[in-house]
């Protein structure tokens, strides 16, 4: 197998890891005010992702860095064409990270309410924009013969792209609700379980429509099969959630997210940026790749460092695997 193909698969794997892990904490952040009816409950909701959210974002950093190193032309075209949505994602993630870190620094309900709003916005907006971005990667964008993006922001707002934005968000909300049902207790667990069932039905309709449309645009037999298995896994997760088997439910939605993203990459390959203007302007893995020597060096470095990162993150999840209880706390109405 050529190194360009190996690195395309590696980058696809990094994005799969990112969306499986960051997907549930986007969902948790989105549901912070929905399921958290008071301060103790909101604190419990945040505590479920507190030890892991920043580790989940490492996958995004590595995916971006790997794309820059292995496929610099892809990186350049992507960031020039998707500058506004990617910049908005970056700002949202910064605000979300600040809010998660500083929420508990002041014993003040107004302060914490503002931080909660930042967490919610910083969770909903990236989910929408990642869906918009990946839908456009599958559909294609206007590229000229030099692989330069020649469209406008409005070209990114097609009906298919908007469906992708809503579908990604709905799936993440369901994934996050199931994670909360897995990690919390008592009434909060029961409400998260019920919300996951309701949101999951909406998400199932949206994701079936999106994946079917995506495969109709740029799919083959292999990507169709992967997309179909993703739908089956999602349905299995919803069934497990209905019978209060949250561990199996979370496994189902995690597999569904991973397989759905895999089906999008499989539909694209060997293109990384399809052109809607001229098939000859489509940017492929070969066109976008670095030199063979660079790819060899990257392969050695990644082979050493990536297993260590995965072991550390797996250890973190294992240590913080216990359920979170909701305990009342005294919070002043104003800063002391």
């Amino acid at each position: 197998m050529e190194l360009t193909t190996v690195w395309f698969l590696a980058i696809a794997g990094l994005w799969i890891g990112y969306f499986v892990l960051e997907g549930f904490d986007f969902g948790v952040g989105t549901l912070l005010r929905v399921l958290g009816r008071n301060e103790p409950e909101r604190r419990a909701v945040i505590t479920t992702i507190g030890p892991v959210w920043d580790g989940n974002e490492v996958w995004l950093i590595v995916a971006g860095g790997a794309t820059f190193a292995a496929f610099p032309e892809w990186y350049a075209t992507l960031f020039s064409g998707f500058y506004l949505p990617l910049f908005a994602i970056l700002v949202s993630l910064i605000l979300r990270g600040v809010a998660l870190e500083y929420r508990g620094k002041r014993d003040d309900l107004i302060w914490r309410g503002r931080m909660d709003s930042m967490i919610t916005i910083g969770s909903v907006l990236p989910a929408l924009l990642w869906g918009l971005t990946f839908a456009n990667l599958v559909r294609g964008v206007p590229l000229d013969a030099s692989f330069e993006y020649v469209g406008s922001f409005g070209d990114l707002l097609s009906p298919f792209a908007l469906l992708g934005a809503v579908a990604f968000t709905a799936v993440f909300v369901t994934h996050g609700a199931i994670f909360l049902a897995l990690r919390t207790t008592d009434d909060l667990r029961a409400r998260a379980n019920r919300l996951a069932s309701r949101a999951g039905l909406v998400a199932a309709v949206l994701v079936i429509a999106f994946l079917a449309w995506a495969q109709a645009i740029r799919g083959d037999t292999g990507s169709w099969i992967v997309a179909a298995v993703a739908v089956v896994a999602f349905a299995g997760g919803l069934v497990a959630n209905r019978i209060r088997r949250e561990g199996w439910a979370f496994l189902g939605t995690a597999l569904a997210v991973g397989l759905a993203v895999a089906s999008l990459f499989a539909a694209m390959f060997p293109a990384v940026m399809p052109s809607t203007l001229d098939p000859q302007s489509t940017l492929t893995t070969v066109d976008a790749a670095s030199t063979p020597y660079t790819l060899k060096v990257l392969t050695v470095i990644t082979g050493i460092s990536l297993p260590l990162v995965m072991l550390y993150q797996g250890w973190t999840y294992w240590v913080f695997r216990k359920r979170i209880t909701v305990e009342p706390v005294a919070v002043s109405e104003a800063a002391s």
Side-chain angles (χ1 to χ4, degrees), residues 311-332:
L311 282 172
Y312 172 75
Q313 193 163 25
W315 175 81
T316 303
Y317 276 93
W318 176 256
V319 169
F320 295 100
R321 68 189 182 278
K322 294 183 179 179
R323 291 184 181 271
I324 305 298
T325 58
V326 178
E327 298 178 359
V329 292
V331 182
S332 62

Side-chain angles (χ1 to χ4, degrees), residues 68-86:
F68 174 77
F71 299 103
E73 188 70 35
W74 184 10
Y75 184 93
T77 303
L78 177 66
F79 275 81
S80 62
F82 294 78
Y83 178 80
L84 286 178
L86 292 178

Side-chain angles (χ1 to χ4, degrees), residues 7-19 55-72 74-75 78-79 130 134 261 265 298 302 306 309:
W7 272 97
F8 179 86
L9 294 174
I11 290 171
L14 291 170
W15 281 109
I16 289 169
Y18 173 67
F19 284 127
N56 295 342
E57 291 188 355
V58 169
W59 290 80
L60 173 61
I61 296 169
V62 177
T67 304
F68 174 77
F71 299 103
W74 184 10
Y75 184 93
L78 177 66
F79 275 81
W130 280 130
F134 271 78
V261 176
F265 277 98
L298 287 173
T302 304
L306 186 60
V309 172

Side-chain angles (χ1 to χ4, degrees), residues 268-305:
M268 288 169 55
F269 184 80
V272 291
M273 292 283 287
S275 174
T276 57
L277 297 181
D278 181 359
Q280 299 300 318
S281 300
T282 291
L283 183 64
T284 67
T285 54
V286 174
D287 299 320
S290 293
T291 63
Y293 178 76
T294 300
L295 294 178
K296 288 179 182 178
V297 172
L298 287 173
T299 302
V300 173
I301 294 173
T302 304
I304 296 172
S305 59

Side-chain angles (χ1 to χ4, degrees), residues 38-59:
N38 51 47
E39 172 55 27
E41 288 189 349
R42 287 191 288 272
R43 188 183 68 165
V45 168
I46 291 175
T47 301
T48 63
I49 61 171
V52 298
W53 69 267
D54 49 353
N56 295 342
E57 291 188 355
V58 169
W59 290 80

Side-chain angles (χ1 to χ4, degrees), residues 51 59 101 121 153 203 207 247 296:
W59 290 80
E101 290 291 340
I121 294 170
F153 179 70
V207 78
K296 288 179 182 178

Side-chain angles (χ1 to χ4, degrees), residues 22-32 123 172-177 180:
E22 188 86 304
F24 74 72
D25 68 44
F26 280 153
V28 169
T30 301
L31 296 173
L32 175 59
S123 299
F172 290 163
V173 166
T174 304
H175 195 34
L180 284 173

Side-chain angles (χ1 to χ4, degrees), residues 6 26 35 41 44 49 90 100 105 112 130 151 204 223 274 297 310 316 330 332:
V6 169
F26 280 153
L35 290 175
E41 288 189 349
I49 61 171
L90 177 61
L100 286 167
K105 300 300 183 183
R112 294 184 179 180
W130 280 130
S223 60
V297 172
M310 294 178 69
T316 303
S332 62

